[in-house]
Amino acid sequence: MPLRYVDPHKERGLGYAVASRFGRSAVGQFFARHVARHTDPLLFRLTRGRVSVNPIANAPLVTTGAKSGERREVQLTYFHDRDDVILVASNFGGTRNPQWFHNLKQHPDCEFGNEPFTASEVTDPDEHARLYALAERVYPGYRDYREATADTGRHIPIFRLTPR
């Protein structure tokens, strides 16, 4: 089953707003970090991406470990910019980039949603700002993460995945 197209310009309904509000709460953040991250990869495989604990669009990113060279998998929220997939390395607004950030920097060839891609970090400031604004439309919690990292000076990276 092909990766579901996520249009960041699409208007979302009340259910999506409620799910986003829950995801931004302390309980929702705990659930995302400790439950959904373990159950969603399994559900994605079993249902070919049709069922998820998380109502925000997500799929598995498979990378090669930057240090280990071993296969690594993590479930991530995403959206599309034309044919490319966009990933935000927010790490829940933490002080460090997520491990998958380092993996993609070292080994840009990856799989996302069982499809092959090549990753590149978005370094142009205007393009980064445009994509981050779209990310906030897909999941308003990205605004919280940006605010949380402002005091630390951490810049939240964005990756563009181009189909291979």
Side-chain angles (χ1 to χ4, degrees):
M1 170 176 257
L3 187 63
R4 183 174 64 128
Y5 190 86
V6 178
D7 182 354
H9 301 286
K10 177 184 173 188
E11 292 297 321
R12 288 163 174 80
L14 179 61
Y16 199 89
V18 169
S20 290
R21 195 170 306 120
F22 172 73
R24 295 170 73 184
S25 71
V27 173
Q29 288 288 295
F30 179 88
F31 184 80
R33 291 177 194 221
H34 301 288
V35 177
R37 74 182 213 117
H38 297 292
T39 57
D40 274 347
L42 177 63
L43 286 172
F44 191 92
R45 281 192 295 276
L46 291 174
T47 67
R48 295 184 178 170
R50 290 187 301 266
V51 176
S52 172
V53 171
N54 184 351
I56 311 299
N58 65 87
L61 172 67
V62 177
T63 61
T64 302
K67 293 180 183 177
S68 69
E70 295 179 14
R71 174 188 154 97
R72 302 290 185 211
E73 183 176 334
V74 62
Q75 199 83 2
L76 297 175
T77 298
Y78 71 98
F79 65 93
H80 283 86
D81 185 43
R82 296 180 283 294
D83 292 335
D84 296 340
V85 171
I86 305 300
L87 301 177
V88 180
S90 63
N91 201 19
F92 296 99
T95 58
R96 295 183 173 164
N97 290 326
Q99 189 57 48
W100 62 263
F101 163 87
H102 303 287
N103 297 347
L104 287 181
K105 293 288 283 182
Q106 186 72 27
H107 304 284
D109 286 340
C110 61
E111 288 181 16
F112 190 72
N114 299 324
E115 296 180 18
F117 289 93
T118 300
S120 60
E121 185 176 1
V122 175
T123 57
D124 177 81
D126 293 335
E127 181 68 353
H128 184 279
R130 181 183 78 81
L131 292 173
Y132 207 94
L134 292 177
E136 289 175 351
R137 288 181 56 91
V138 172
Y139 176 57
Y142 285 125
R143 188 173 308 114
D144 303 335
Y145 303 154
R146 186 178 47 169
E147 290 170 4
T149 59
D151 292 341
T152 67
R154 178 175 167 247
H155 169 80
I156 296 177
I158 294 178
F159 279 89
R160 177 179 295 281
L161 304 184
T162 304
R164 279 193 272 146

